[in-house]
Amino acid sequence: MSPRVVTMGETMVLINPAESGPMKYITDFKKSLGGAESNVAIGLSRLGHDVGWISKLGADPHGEYLRSFVRGEGVDTSHVTTTPDAPTGLMFKERRALSETSVYYYRHGSAASTMTPADLPESFLADAEYLHLTGITPALSESCRETVFAAVERAREADVTISFDPNLRQKLWDDENEMRSTLLELVGATDIVLPGIEEGRALFDAEEPEAIAAACLDRGAEIAAVKLGAAGALVADHATTERVAGYEVERVVDPVGAGDGFAAGFLAGRLRDLGPVESAGLANAVGAFATTVAGDIEGLPTGEELEVFRGERDAVYR
């Protein structure tokens, strides 16, 4: 049986520091993994939904680790391919108490950057209900860009709903105009768009959430959910626009991955037949929960944990 949601994109081995401080002075690290699309896939799986992930890994121990881990989280990895001609990507995090988390990528020429439309499985995509994409994948290479647009075309032909998180990574683009035109084309070709304020500023020259949402809808999206961090989100369709309050977190440990948690929560809401506003509320909760643990996926909640966090049930201690 094909999964209800399919994601596609690069996942890298994440080298996470054991403590905060400048990278040059840190000597103790822990291995984990991170990648926007697999983060969303794992988030959905933990919430009880069937999800698959399409990617390409190097024929190396890092690739073996990533495939094993993602599969162990209940994600269908049957269409993750391997190449001996390129390595699996790596990234290092740097956390500082008085500034934002920094991430250093070692992904140029990675296995995932060699993806082509030939790597797309026909029925796996066509039989899904949702395809989730980000703006990271088309930035990796020309062939990745072609692969993303081929996936969009096949999904639209099969009436698969497409969600898109622009997930701006300006360092990956050589040309800012090309970045803008590519991501705007994807906004116009997808059904659900999940931008943040930074993406709104870069793509639409807009900073107000209402203006960002309106710009997404004007380009063809059916729903726009603008992420506002701790303030929650603004969600809009062609009938209504509404702000949805966020969740207070006493101590934010690691904000990286919160946006992917938001995407997982929003899609989980749609899979439960919730409306855009209710889905945004669920998304806010997942995103907030994700910030409480170091790592991209470690803080993504199970359905039971999310219900306790939202006050919908009492904690059960085992």
Side-chain angles (χ1 to χ4, degrees):
M1 181 180 295
S2 295
R4 298 182 70 187
V5 180
V6 171
T7 71
M8 182 183 76
E10 179 173 38
T11 294
M12 294 167 287
V13 173
L14 168 59
I15 309 301
N16 217 353
E19 57 185 323
S20 299
M23 176 71 72
K24 65 183 290 186
Y25 300 117
I26 302 296
T27 59
D28 188 7
F29 298 88
K30 296 182 179 180
K31 183 174 74 171
S32 182
L33 76 161
E37 298 83 6
S38 62
N39 293 347
V40 173
I42 291 171
L44 281 165
S45 180
R46 289 189 185 169
L47 293 173
H49 300 287
D50 294 328
V51 58
W53 170 55
I54 299 169
S55 190
K56 185 175 280 189
L57 300 169
D60 50 40
H62 297 310
E64 293 173 4
Y65 162 70
L66 294 179
R67 184 195 299 270
S68 177
F69 191 102
V70 176
R71 184 172 61 235
E73 288 287 336
V75 176
D76 186 332
T77 61
S78 60
H79 293 286
V80 175
T81 57
T82 302
T83 176
D85 300 323
T88 303
L90 301 174
M91 61 177 171
F92 287 76
K93 265 189 187 179
E94 179 184 64
R95 297 196 311 276
R96 300 200 186 199
L98 300 179
S99 61
E100 294 184 356
T101 298
S102 297
V103 182
Y104 301 92
Y105 296 100
Y106 299 84
R107 71 198 311 177
H108 182 72
S110 68
S113 71
T114 69
M115 281 192 294
T116 71
D119 293 311
L120 295 174
E122 292 283 350
S123 61
F124 196 66
L125 278 175
D127 293 341
E129 295 177 38
Y130 288 86
L131 169 65
H132 179 71
L133 301 169
T134 78
I136 299 172
T137 310
L140 299 180
S141 66
E142 182 62 36
S143 68
C144 278
R145 204 166 310 157
E146 294 172 359
T147 305
V148 167
F149 281 103
V152 168
E153 183 177 353
R154 295 183 191 182
R156 293 182 71 85
E157 289 174 352
D159 290 327
V160 175
T161 300
I162 306 169
S163 66
F164 175 60
D165 184 343
N167 226 321
L168 200 63
R169 298 288 188 274
Q170 288 182 309
K171 290 181 180 180
L172 293 176
W173 294 90
D174 296 326
D175 186 311
E176 186 173 340
N177 290 328
E178 184 177 37
M179 174 194 76
R180 199 165 185 265
S181 63
T182 299
L183 299 186
L184 286 175
E185 187 175 353
L186 285 169
V187 168
T190 52
D191 304 289
I192 301 171
V193 183
L194 308 168
I197 298 299
E198 180 184 356
E199 285 89 3
R201 188 181 300 119
L203 298 180
F204 308 115
D205 297 319
E207 296 192 12
E208 290 300 319
E210 291 82 359
I212 296 169
C216 292
L217 298 178
D218 287 345
R219 286 194 166 266
E222 294 298 322
I223 298 172
V226 183
K227 293 169 284 188
L228 304 177
L234 177 136
V235 63
D237 57 20
H238 292 286
T240 60
T241 299
E242 187 168 336
R243 290 196 180 229
V244 184
Y247 286 79
E248 184 176 349
V249 175
E250 290 186 9
R251 178 170 176 264
V252 174
V253 176
D254 188 354
V256 177
D260 300 329
F262 182 93
F266 195 89
L267 289 174
R270 301 301 288 168
L271 290 168
R272 298 179 189 178
D273 295 324
L274 299 181
V277 172
E278 293 82 2
S279 295
L282 191 66
N284 286 340
V286 177
F289 199 99
T291 69
T292 62
V293 179
D296 282 20
I297 52 91
E298 286 80 354
L300 293 170
T302 64
E304 180 180 303
E305 289 171 332
L306 193 62
E307 289 176 356
V308 172
F309 179 66
R310 301 185 78 191
E312 296 171 350
R313 64 183 294 176
D314 295 329
V316 176
Y317 297 98
R318 297 183 176 87

